[in-house]
Every structure is written in structure tokens, then in C-alpha cells.
């Protein structure tokens, strides 16, 4: 009897301890879920319940200086998404089949998306109306009214393809500006995307009576450029002809500026590229082997093709700089435009131990006025004038002409100014020559 009592007590104690352990485990789990893991769980639940689709803002239009000729515009396209939880199980395969047929997609990949346990899956972006209308008609025929969304979006279009390509630039897959004006003015052009929000339960049905919550997108602002599309077209035509006729393997660049106010009226590089196909090489022979090239080769080529050489590359101004020397000397009263015999070209001049020839050294220009020296592009005359003006004064004129400042052109990837001061170029004859030829 005594023994039985003892074992009954022991059993009760054991039961109590077990009960306490179970309670502690349950309470701990509850505390863990409620306080420690709550954030993650809430996020997971929201992800399953919330089915948000972006509504793209209309990107601003880019016009030429007339404010009427359109250089870049956004046209309406459609994004197709599905809500897998709203699609009946027996319709999933037939739907995946139809989607892959209309949009030319891989059936297995589409089926995987349609079968996912998420509230929203993107099937394809930027489709034209024709294809999405086919899908709409099929949905009606098969009486599928929920689970497939066809939302409006925008796609960039460049009506003149390769006109001003290095100025305008282009956009990436998410409509973000990647080059040129499109990149530089991304903030102005892009606007702000809107959203279609709806909360759904485990069966994919909407919560509450509100239905979908639509947050309207804010459209981007338009831009009017200083570029004149007519001048740009003329400049491109003649640049192309000149580069082909003269076999300029490195291409060429032209900038046309309004001298009254500095407006850039045209800016062209040859070769240019098609803004509607910016990832296609322009080189015909390259097109045939394009797919066989290494990724790094392709991207190097494309970076070169997109580079705006007119503003990104440096080059010697050469004889064009004689105009600066001529005007500085006139301003300083060191020369008259038409005083006959004011200068004399003997075919060469020696500077710091380096003999610099006139281009017509074999038959020197002899006696010249300033106007004639400029017409003849006579090196010794302008080197002599540079010496007369003097280092300090000459440099102050470079400053006054604005050569020491940035150009202020609002395009990405400008080059830095690059000047050799007197003496800096003495380490090599080539540099020395560059300095003086600039005079
Ligand atoms: Zn000469």
C-alpha cells in the first residue's frame, strides 16, 4: 500500500513536470513567433497577400529647338502579369501554353511562373497592342476573367533613328536613361511610377470592398533642345560623305554653334548608331560575326560606338588656334589687319633649339600682311606674334576666351581642358611642337 502511494505520487510529479515542460515549450514558441520572428512572418504574409503591379510613368518627350519636331517619345506598350493563386488549377497548363504561343516564350518557364505560390508574376514586358489584344480575346473565349493582368506601360521610340544619336542617347530595359540627354536629364524626364495595389487572401480573393487601389503615376517633363534637326541632318550627311570620301578610319566630328549665344545647333560624330537598336553594331562586317564575339569584345565595341567623341575626346586645335593669336595681337595693338609687308616668312623659325617649319618651307611666303598670313596659315608669323604678346598676356587671353573653363555643355562624359604652358612641353620635341603649332 505504502509502495503504491509512493509510485502514484511519483507518477503525478512526473506528469506535472512533463506538463510544465510542454507549457514552457509552447509559451517559448509563442513568444518567439509573436516578438522575435514577427517581422519576417509579417513580411512573408504581406508578400503573399499583396499583389502590387507598377504603372510606368510616361517619360517626357524630347523636342528639337522648334519645340515641334520630336526626337524621342514614349509610346504605349503593355506588361502582362499573372496572379497564380487566382488561376484555377485545371486552367494553368492551357494558360501557360497560350502565353508562350502568343509571346513566343519557353513553355516550361511560363508554366513554372504560373504554378508559383506568389501573388504576382511578370510574364512579359513591353508588348504591343496587337499581341495583348489576342490574349484578351482568348481570355474572353475561355471565360478567364481573373488572374491575368494586362497593364499599360511606355516604351521609348526615336522617330529619326540615328539623328543626333550621340546627343539624345537611349534608355535601358526599365526606361531609365543610359546615355546622352536621356541619362543627363533622367530626373526631369523619368517622372514617378504609380502602382496598382490589391490585398488577397490565401485563395487569391481580394480583401475588403475597396478592390484595387490605384496610385496614379506622375509623368515626366518634356525637354526642348538647342539642336536644330534640319541643321543636324545636313551636318550628318556631309560628315558621312567627307569621312567616306577621305577614308577617315577614325571617323569624324562636327559641332555647329550659334556664335551669338553659344547654343549648340548640331553635334555629330561619324559613325553614329540607331537609337532604336543601340545594341546593334553599325559595322556591316561586324554584324555577321557579332554573336561569336566574347562578351567583353562586344561591350568594348558598344562603349566606343556610344561615346560622344565630339566632347569626350581631346585633339590638337592646330591652325584653328591662329585665330586666337591673331585677335589677341589686334587687341594688344601689335598688328594691323592689312598693313602690307608687316610680316616676313622665311620658311622656318627656331624656338628653344627646335626649328619649326612653315608648311610652305620649300617656297616661303615672304612679305605678308596679317590677313595674308592668316589666309596662308603661316606658322612663323603666328609664332612670332605669340612671342610678341608674351607668355603672361597670352595666357590671360586664353582665360578671357574661356579656354580654361569647362564648356558647360550639358552632356555626360566631357573631356578636361588640356593646355601645355610654356616650358611644360620641353621634355619632348613632340609636345614642344604641339605647343607652338597651337600659336
Ligand atoms: Zn609661311
Amino acid at each position: 500500500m505504502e509502495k503504491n502511494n509512493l509510485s502514484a505520487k511519483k507518477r503525478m510529479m512526473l506528469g506535472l513536470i512533463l506538463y510544465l515542460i510542454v507549457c514552457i515549450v509552447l509559451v517559448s514558441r509563442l513568444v518567439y513567433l509573436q516578438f522575435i520572428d514577427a517581422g519576417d512572418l509579417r513580411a512573408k504574409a504581406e508578400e503573399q497577400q499583396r499583389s502590387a503591379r507598377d504603372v510606368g510613368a510616361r517619360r517626357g518627350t524630347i523636342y528639337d529647338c522648334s519645340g515641334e519636331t520630336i526626337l524621342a517619345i514614349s509610346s504605349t506598350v503593355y506588361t502582362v502579369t499573372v496572379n497564380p493563386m487566382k488561376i484555377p488549377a485545371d486552367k494553368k497548363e492551357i494558360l501557360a501554353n497560350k502565353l508562350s504561343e502568343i509571346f513566343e516564350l519557353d513553355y516550361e518557364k511560363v508554366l513554372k511562373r504560373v504554378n508559383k505560390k506568389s501573388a504576382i508574376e511578370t510574364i512579359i514586358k513591353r508588348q504591343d497592342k496587337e499581341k495583348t489584344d489576342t490574349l484578351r480575346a482568348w481570355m474572353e473565349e475561355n471565360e478567364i476573367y481573373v488572374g491575368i493582368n494586362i497593364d499599360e506601360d511606355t516604351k521609348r521610340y526615336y522617330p529619326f533613328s540615328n539623328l543626333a544619336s550621340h546627343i539624345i542617347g537611349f534608355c535601358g530595359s526599365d526606361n531609365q536613361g543610359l546615355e546622352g540627354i536621356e541619362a543627363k536629364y533622367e530626373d526631369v524626364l523619368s517622372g514617378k511610377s504609380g502602382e496598382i495595389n490589391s490585398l488577397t487572401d490565401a485563395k487569391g480573393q481580394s480583401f475588403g470592398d475597396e478592390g484595387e487601389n490605384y496610385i496614379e503615376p506622375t509623368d515626366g517633363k518634356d525637354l526642348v533642345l538647342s539642336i536644330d534637326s534640319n541643321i543636324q541632318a545636313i551636318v550628318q550627311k556631309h560628315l558621312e560623305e567627307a569621312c567616306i570620301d577621305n577614308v577617315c578610319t577614325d571617323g569624324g566630328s562636327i559641332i555647329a554653334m550659334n556664335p551669338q549665344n553659344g547654343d549648340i545647333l548640331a553635334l555629330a560624330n561619324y559613325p553614329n548608331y540607331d537609337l532604336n537598336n543601340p545594341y546593334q553594331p553599325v559595322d556591316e562586317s561586324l554584324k555577321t560575326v557579332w554573336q561569336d564575339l566574347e562578351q567583353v569584345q562586344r561591350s568594348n565595341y558598344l562603349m566606343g560606338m556610344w561615346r560622344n567623341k565630339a566632347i569626350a575626346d581631346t585633339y590638337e586645335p592646330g591652325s584653328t588656334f591662329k585665330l586666337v593669336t591673331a585677335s589677341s595681337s589686334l587687341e594688344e595693338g601689335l598688328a594691323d589687319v592689312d598693313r602690307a609687308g608687316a610680316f616676313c616668312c622665311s620658311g622656318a623659325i627656331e624656338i628653344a633649339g627646335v626649328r619649326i617649319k612653315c608648311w610652305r618651307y620649300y617656297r616661303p611666303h615672304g612679305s605678308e600682311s596679317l590677313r595674308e598670313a592668316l589666309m596662308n596659315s603661316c606658322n612663323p608669323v603666328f609664332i612670332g606674334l605669340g612671342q610678341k604678346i608674351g607668355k603672361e598676356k597670352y595666357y590671360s587671353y586664353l582665360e578671357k576666351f574661356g579656354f580654361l573653363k569647362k564648356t558647360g555643355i550639358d552632356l555626360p562624359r566631357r573631356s578636361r581642358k588640356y593646355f601645355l604652358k610654356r616650358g611644360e612641353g620641353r621634355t619632348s620635341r613632340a609636345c614642344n611642337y604641339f605647343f607652338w603649332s597651337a600659336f
Side-chain angles (χ1 to χ4, degrees):
M1 215 40 199
E2 186 86 356
K3 210 176 177 182
N4 275 349
N5 263 348
L6 197 67
S7 65
K9 257 187 186 172
K10 264 189 182 170
R11 277 203 300 273
M12 266 180 71
M13 279 300 283
L14 204 66
L16 198 64
I17 288 166
L18 274 174
Y19 174 74
L20 276 173
I21 290 173
V22 170
C23 278
I24 289 167
V25 168
L26 284 175
V27 168
S28 312
R29 180 75 185 144
L30 197 65
V31 167
Y32 181 77
L33 290 178
Q34 195 68 35
F35 298 104
I36 299 168
D37 209 18
D40 272 1
L41 288 172
R42 196 173 301 126
K44 271 184 193 161
E46 268 174 23
E47 194 190 320
Q48 278 189 357
Q49 291 158 359
R50 189 169 165 271
S51 68
R53 286 120 62 194
D54 275 346
V55 185
R58 188 192 138 277
R59 198 173 169 84
T61 303
I62 302 177
Y63 296 94
D64 85 338
C65 65
S66 69
E68 284 173 13
T69 305
I70 291 170
L71 302 175
I73 192 165
S74 290
S75 53
T76 303
V77 284
Y78 298 88
T79 294
V80 179
T81 55
V82 293
N83 182 338
M85 292 195 291
K86 283 188 182 177
I87 301 162
D90 60 329
K91 300 259 178 173
K92 292 202 175 194
E93 280 183 18
I94 178 177
L95 172 63
N97 191 34
K98 198 66 198 175
L99 289 172
S100 57
E101 183 193 311
I102 296 174
F103 302 110
E104 293 159 35
L105 298 166
D106 182 68
Y107 168 73
E108 292 299 330
K109 282 184 186 161
V110 175
L111 186 64
K112 217 172 157 186
R113 292 223 166 100
V114 173
N115 276 327
K116 267 203 174 173
K117 281 194 166 46
S118 67
I120 197 85
E121 284 295 316
T122 302
I123 299 298
I124 197 157
K125 287 181 170 180
R126 298 169 175 212
Q127 292 304 296
D128 56 32
K129 196 168 178 297
E130 205 178 308
K131 282 186 178 175
T132 48
D133 278 352
T134 311
L135 177 63
R136 279 197 187 95
W138 178 85
M139 283 162 69
E140 259 179 49
E141 263 171 44
N142 290 271
E143 297 178 346
I144 298 178
Y145 302 110
V146 288
I148 306 169
N149 314 300
I150 302 170
D151 296 322
E152 271 191 21
D153 198 355
T154 60
K155 183 185 173 186
R156 212 56 169 160
Y157 174 66
Y158 304 94
F160 297 102
S161 302
N162 70 343
L163 189 84
S165 50
H166 288 103
I167 303 169
I168 301 166
F170 55 91
C171 292
S173 56
D174 287 328
N175 269 337
Q176 80 281 24
L178 293 183
E179 284 287 330
I181 291 285
E182 294 276 30
K184 180 77 185 176
Y185 286 101
E186 170 67 12
D187 292 349
V188 179
L189 290 164
S190 63
K192 199 168 177 294
S193 296
E195 219 175 59
I196 301 171
N197 270 319
S198 58
L199 286 175
T200 53
D201 61 19
K203 286 179 184 160
Q205 303 305 315
S206 292
F207 277 161
D209 307 321
E210 315 92 47
E212 289 185 327
N213 177 24
Y214 182 76
I215 303 168
E216 208 168 312
T218 313
D219 289 344
K221 293 193 173 73
D222 297 342
L223 275 183
V224 178
L225 307 186
S226 63
I227 298 297
D228 182 316
S229 55
N230 290 322
I231 299 176
Q232 179 73 29
I234 293 165
V235 160
Q236 283 191 209
K237 177 175 172 280
H238 289 286
L239 175 63
E240 181 172 350
E241 280 173 12
C243 285
I244 292 170
D245 290 352
N246 296 288
V247 201
C248 299
T249 45
D250 284 342
S253 303
I254 293 180
I255 299 176
M257 184 190 271
N258 178 347
Q260 305 301 328
N261 57 13
D263 277 0
I264 306 289
L265 304 173
L267 185 154
N269 298 300
Y270 180 81
N272 47 48
Y273 62 97
D274 180 0
L275 290 174
N276 293 313
N277 292 297
Y279 295 91
Q280 284 288 310
V282 281
D283 192 320
E284 286 300 324
S285 59
L286 205 57
K287 278 182 187 167
T288 54
V289 293
W290 187 243
Q291 288 311 321
D292 305 327
L293 296 179
E294 301 266 331
Q295 180 62 37
V296 65
Q297 288 175 303
R298 285 204 293 258
S299 62
N300 282 346
Y301 172 84
L302 291 174
M303 293 301 278
M305 185 176 88
W306 300 332
R307 198 176 76 242
N308 190 347
K309 287 186 285 187
I311 57 159
D313 287 9
T314 49
Y315 60 94
E316 292 177 25
S319 287
T320 58
F321 223 70
K322 285 180 173 131
L323 291 172
V324 175
T325 313
S327 7
S328 308
S329 63
L330 286 172
E331 187 70 19
E332 285 296 302
L334 296 170
D336 293 316
V337 179
D338 285 314
R339 206 172 86 219
F343 302 96
C344 184
C345 165
S346 61
I349 190 167
E350 195 171 305
I351 300 292
V354 181
R355 195 164 174 269
I356 298 167
K357 289 184 204 166
C358 179
W359 66 271
R360 218 180 71 173
Y361 63 94
Y362 49 88
R363 191 158 56 87
H365 291 109
S367 159
E368 302 169 282
S369 68
L370 181 64
R371 187 191 299 272
E372 285 163 341
L374 206 53
M375 285 161 65
N376 291 331
S377 193
C378 181
N379 282 345
V381 168
F382 288 92
I383 291 170
L385 268 179
Q387 284 178 313
K388 262 194 190 170
I389 298 167
K391 181 177 70 174
E392 302 298 332
K393 268 258 148 71
Y394 195 78
Y395 204 71
S396 78
Y397 274 102
L398 299 187
E399 202 162 20
K400 284 173 191 160
F401 271 108
F403 287 118
L404 307 186
K405 284 193 217 126
K406 284 185 173 174
T407 58
I409 192 164
D410 42 357
L411 282 168
R413 296 188 200 168
R414 286 171 309 205
S415 71
R416 280 180 54 228
K417 65 184 182 290
Y418 180 64
F419 272 105
L420 288 174
K421 286 188 207 166
R422 192 193 286 249
E424 278 183 355
R426 293 229 169 121
T427 45
S428 88
R429 277 173 69 109
C431 283
N432 226 347
Y433 182 70
F434 160 63
F435 173 61
W436 286 111
S437 72
F439 272 42

